[in-house]
Amino acid sequence: MLLADLAAASAAVSGTTRRTEKVAAVAAALRSADPDEVPVVVAYLSGELRQRRTGVGWASLRDLPAPAPEPTLGVSEVDAVLADVAALAGAGSQGERVRRVADLFGRATEPEQRLLRGLLTGELRQGALEGVMLAAVAQAAAVPLADVRRAAMLRGAVGPVAEAALTGGTEALAAFRLQVGRPVQPMLASTATDVADAISRLGEAAVEWKLDGVRVQVHRSGGDVSVWTRSLDEITDRVPEVVEAALLLPVRDVVLDGEAIALHPDGRPRPFQQTGSRVSSRVDVTAARAAAPLSTYVFDVLHVDGEDVLDRPGRDRAEVLEAAVPEPLRVPRVVTAEVAVAADVLAGAVAQGHEGVVAKSLDAPYEAGRRGTGWLKVKPRHTLDLVVLAAEWGHGRRRGWLSNLHLGARDPAGGWVMLGKTFKGLTDEMLAWQTERLQELAVDSGEWVVQVRPELVVEVAFDGVQTSPRYPGGMALRFARVLRHRPDKRPEEADTVDAVRAIHGG
């Protein structure tokens, strides 16, 4: 498959806001690709490279050759070149990287250059998010969407599932199984306005504390343990406490879902930044552990000793969990149908310094990779996960730091909708961290405002949503303040503008 054909498909996807048309364009591209090209096509039309980091930044893309007159580049060839570029290391590697990228662009037509530039900078905005991609795979392979979703959940990646669907159909999709040591996409919670809303929607439910930690998925097979984040990044070597806790369990094989969290001696959570730095840093783990030890709390089980249990109802999984994990390692929970009891659980969690509660259906299976209605999170304040679109340099005591953040919600049709700015809630530690991170994401560094790739997710609390002609979405957050950075979340997991409209309408 020529890269030019893929560039044309990308342009078709970005040129429409209709989901059905996006799905059709992606499906057509998938059908045109050779089987071994399918994972590359999936990645590129998702706006990603298979090599998550190539070392190629904006500086490498400033002085590029003129476009080629005719397309000659193949998709597989481009993927191989970028794999080689990503593997370069040592003395002279940066110069060689620039040379190879320039050679690649010199062989690319103008539409192909535009596609490559968007992929390398993370700025390809075409609206082919995972939901569109899964629907396109189902359409291209003429298989049920539910089968594609389940296989992608179990595999943790769409590319291999797309290849299987297009070459082997439903039979190949059915072959995907939960595999200990290979992460699956986590089940996500929707939002309820309060505990009364949650109980009215679920009836009798398990009401669990929503800890202010980092989501972890723990896989153990005998004496081997691996730990993954919600974005499926492996962090095993950074969290030895989680590994040790898993090895103490009275099981041989297990897959668990839970939280890792740094606590004070009195059991209250330390600032989230301390937990986050433990998960993100590989430097001197021993010293970091001594300064901010992690505790492990588990709230679900997907597999134990040869048996997958994720399809079993919540009440059954809870019984399996109780048999496999001792109470001190389980998230506090109460099963109730009474609003007053659920409210007491919420009050207890908040009093201990945590975020709130999650009410969970006793009948729902573990819907990995889905934000369904089986889990409903309740917090005592409005919060949204938004993406930083730009930041302004501070003044006064904040001079030298990127401070005022431009916040955007995800548009399901593609792109981002700005909802306002805030510098409130940021500690000096948070300011220092975000200044460094946002400069890494910068795409245009003006004298006052730095435009960034929309990749950094922040959790924002606010008092409400007001009508505002100042922003394109016609809405702005009232008294927004940053609670914490969420580098563990992908921008695709940010809240949508539809969620903001729902609050505005309420």
Side-chain angles (χ1 to χ4, degrees):
M1 182 179 192
L2 289 174
L3 185 67
D5 295 331
L6 196 55
S10 175
V13 172
S14 62
T16 180
T17 59
R18 294 181 178 273
R19 189 176 188 276
T20 55
E21 293 176 359
K22 290 180 184 289
V23 168
V26 175
L30 290 171
R31 283 192 293 265
S32 299
D34 291 336
D36 61 342
E37 295 174 328
V38 168
V40 185
V41 172
V42 169
Y44 287 12
L45 289 182
S46 298
E48 302 171 350
L49 294 172
R50 293 212 297 174
Q51 306 78 21
R52 299 185 66 177
R53 297 184 184 276
T54 61
V56 178
W58 278 94
S60 306
L61 303 176
R62 285 176 182 160
D63 300 313
L64 293 172
E70 298 293 334
T72 60
L73 286 171
V75 168
S76 296
E77 180 186 5
V78 172
D79 182 59
V81 169
L82 293 178
D84 289 343
V85 167
L88 290 171
S93 60
Q94 186 56 34
E96 179 65 10
R97 186 175 288 116
V98 171
R99 187 191 69 78
R100 293 197 188 188
V101 169
D103 179 68
L104 183 65
F105 271 77
R107 298 177 56 202
T109 63
E110 194 276 331
E112 291 172 317
Q113 285 194 352
R114 191 162 53 245
L115 174 65
L116 288 171
R117 186 178 289 105
L119 290 169
L120 287 165
T121 61
E123 281 291 295
L124 191 63
R125 299 287 167 247
Q126 56 192 7
L129 299 177
E130 187 168 289
V132 168
M133 186 59 65
L134 294 176
V137 170
Q139 186 177 115
V143 296
L145 177 56
D147 292 356
V148 176
R149 282 176 173 161
R150 179 171 178 77
M153 171 268 291
L154 292 171
R155 181 60 179 83
V158 180
V161 170
E163 184 177 0
L166 287 161
T167 56
T170 55
E171 183 176 348
L173 292 176
F176 285 93
R177 296 283 188 272
L178 190 153
Q179 180 179 319
V180 179
R182 188 174 67 192
V184 301
Q185 297 170 352
M187 182 171 177
L188 305 174
S190 297
T191 301
T193 55
D194 51 33
V195 291
D197 177 36
I199 294 299
S200 70
R201 290 159 66 179
L202 297 178
E204 186 178 44
V207 183
E208 300 177 354
W209 285 16
K210 191 177 190 304
L211 304 186
D212 195 20
V214 168
R215 184 89 172 261
V216 291
Q217 190 177 123
V218 184
H219 291 238
R220 172 185 166 185
S221 178
D224 296 327
V225 176
S226 54
V227 185
W228 310 79
T229 66
R230 61 180 291 151
S231 55
L232 307 189
D233 294 314
E234 187 175 1
I235 56 169
T236 308
D237 58 344
R238 308 176 209 173
V239 290
E241 306 97 313
V242 179
V243 173
E244 292 163 7
L247 289 172
L248 290 175
L249 300 178
V251 295
R252 174 172 175 78
D253 301 321
V254 73
V255 178
L256 302 168
D257 196 357
E259 296 270 336
I261 184 170
L263 300 173
H264 289 294
D266 63 358
R268 295 179 62 82
R270 294 173 182 252
F272 178 80
Q273 202 77 10
Q274 294 186 27
T275 297
S277 66
R278 278 297 314 276
V279 170
S280 62
S281 176
R282 298 183 177 89
V283 180
D284 201 349
V285 173
T286 301
R289 175 178 183 173
L294 294 175
S295 297
T296 305
Y297 290 93
V298 178
F299 53 72
D300 217 322
V301 58
L302 285 65
H303 174 97
V304 63
D305 288 340
E307 182 183 4
D308 292 347
V309 298
L310 70 172
D311 288 326
R312 293 168 61 175
R315 58 168 57 84
D316 290 357
R317 297 199 311 279
E319 292 177 0
V320 175
L321 185 65
E322 289 173 9
V325 180
E327 185 176 4
L329 294 179
R330 300 198 305 266
V331 172
R333 74 195 296 265
V334 173
V335 175
T336 184
E338 300 295 329
V339 172
V341 174
D344 287 342
V345 178
L346 172 62
V350 172
Q352 191 62 17
H354 295 294
E355 292 185 293
V357 295
V358 180
K360 298 182 176 181
S361 167
L362 301 179
D363 300 318
Y366 188 96
E367 298 180 286
R370 301 294 304 279
R371 190 184 296 278
T373 58
W375 290 5
L376 300 173
K377 58 186 176 183
V378 180
K379 300 181 182 181
R381 58 194 168 192
H382 287 303
T383 65
L384 289 169
D385 291 327
L386 302 176
V387 169
V388 178
L389 306 178
E392 299 171 5
W393 289 106
H395 54 84
R397 68 175 300 275
R398 292 193 173 190
R399 184 177 300 276
W401 281 335
L402 286 172
S403 176
N404 204 18
L405 301 179
H406 298 203
L407 303 170
R410 178 167 57 85
D411 188 338
W416 306 90
V417 178
M418 187 172 173
L419 297 171
K421 311 175 186 180
T422 190
F423 54 82
K424 296 181 180 178
L426 295 166
T427 65
D428 288 356
E429 183 181 11
M430 295 169 73
L431 285 164
W433 185 89
Q434 76 179 25
T435 298
E436 180 178 356
R437 178 62 180 139
L438 292 175
Q439 288 185 96
E440 294 173 352
L441 299 175
V443 297
D444 185 7
S445 297
E447 181 178 349
W448 184 249
V449 179
V450 176
Q451 304 290 332
V452 301
R453 298 198 304 271
E455 294 181 13
L456 177 59
V457 178
V458 293
E459 186 175 1
V460 177
F462 56 100
D463 290 354
V465 180
Q466 62 189 11
T467 300
S468 173
R470 184 175 182 180
Y471 299 110
M475 302 175 292
L477 304 183
R478 296 182 64 249
F479 304 112
R481 58 267 189 203
V482 176
L483 296 178
R484 53 181 174 168
H485 302 111
R486 294 305 304 260
D488 58 315
K489 289 193 173 185
R490 299 173 296 170
E492 292 85 357
E493 296 181 79
D495 285 297
T496 68
V497 68
D498 293 334
V500 182
R501 292 192 183 105
I503 297 171
H504 183 239

